[in-house]
Amino acid sequence: MDWNLLLIVLSILLTTFAFVFILSKTIFTQFEKQRKQELSLKISKQVVPIKLQAYERLTLLLERITPESMVLRNDYSSLSVKQYQIVLLRAVKEEFDHNLSQQIYVSTKAWGLMLAARQSMIQLITETASQFENADETVEFVNEIIDEFSEISDDPVSVAKLFLHKEVQQQLL
């Protein structure tokens, strides 16, 4: 038997095997990459609408906890300052609690700004109510909350709304 011929046959077989192996690996890798892209696109088509809905709900929450909005929704005509303070604080808590699950769809920073906006409103209501000793000054209390909120530059509610808007724009690009 000729050893040179055997070496040539073996080298051809080895080269062919290496070529088939590399080609198979490349095809498999490309197939796997395409499958992951298709899966990612499918998930994205399902998740994006849910995330957008979360941003919408959080924006609505921020709108609903502004003093003007809460005053329009909650009658104060027959309540004392202390009673109306409780109504407003409950309104902020309920709005926030109703949308608590939305935090899983937004960034940590966005959720932090939501918490800051909630705390800001609670603090505004509490501090403003503490200025009124007379229980029948509810109209003045309401006017003072609205005035103080309008005087806050870069209030946490507006800051959070602006951030949510920017975050949605980044995700849509």
Side-chain angles (χ1 to χ4, degrees):
M1 173 154 221
D2 188 9
W3 289 106
N4 285 338
L5 182 60
L6 185 61
L7 274 168
I8 292 172
V9 170
L10 282 174
S11 69
I12 291 172
L13 284 173
L14 188 60
T15 305
T16 305
F17 176 74
F19 176 74
V20 169
F21 177 77
I22 291 171
L23 183 63
S24 297
K25 185 173 181 182
T26 304
I27 290 171
F28 178 74
T29 303
Q30 189 66 21
F31 174 76
E32 190 63 25
K33 183 178 177 183
Q34 183 179 359
R35 190 182 68 75
K36 284 181 181 179
Q37 285 176 338
E38 289 172 358
L39 182 61
S40 177
L41 183 61
K42 184 178 179 181
I43 289 171
S44 178
K45 284 182 179 181
Q46 293 172 346
V47 171
V48 168
I50 294 169
K51 287 182 84 167
L52 288 176
Q53 185 180 33
Y55 283 99
E56 290 170 2
R57 287 181 63 178
L58 292 176
T59 302
L60 182 60
L61 173 143
L62 291 168
E63 282 297 323
R64 290 178 61 90
I65 66 170
T66 61
E68 299 90 353
S69 178
M70 287 191 296
V71 167
L72 287 174
R73 287 190 331 276
N74 298 287
D75 183 32
Y76 57 88
S77 59
S78 63
L79 300 175
S80 70
V81 171
K82 192 67 173 169
Q83 290 170 328
Y84 199 57
Q85 174 189 4
I86 292 168
V87 167
L88 294 178
L89 291 173
R90 186 177 303 132
V92 171
K93 181 183 180 334
E94 287 174 359
E95 284 294 333
F96 196 81
D97 289 350
H98 181 69
N99 291 287
L100 198 56
S101 65
Q102 303 309 309
Q103 67 183 297
I104 64 173
Y105 298 109
V106 297
S107 70
T108 304
K109 183 172 182 179
W111 188 249
L113 290 171
M114 296 299 298
L115 293 172
R118 177 191 66 173
Q119 190 57 40
S120 168
M121 293 311 305
I122 289 170
Q123 185 176 353
L124 175 66
I125 294 165
T126 304
E127 288 177 1
T128 306
S130 71
Q131 298 171 14
F132 292 89
E133 294 176 12
N134 197 348
D136 61 347
E137 296 178 319
T138 309
V139 173
E140 292 83 3
F141 169 59
V142 168
N143 290 332
E144 185 65 22
I145 289 176
I146 293 171
D147 289 346
E148 287 199 27
F149 182 74
S150 67
E151 291 174 7
I152 301 172
S153 62
D154 293 331
D155 68 275
V157 172
S158 297
V159 169
K161 281 194 291 189
L162 182 63
F163 186 83
L164 290 176
H165 178 75
K166 286 180 181 177
E167 200 165 270
V168 166
Q169 294 304 313
Q170 288 174 347
Q171 291 195 12
L172 292 178
L173 297 178

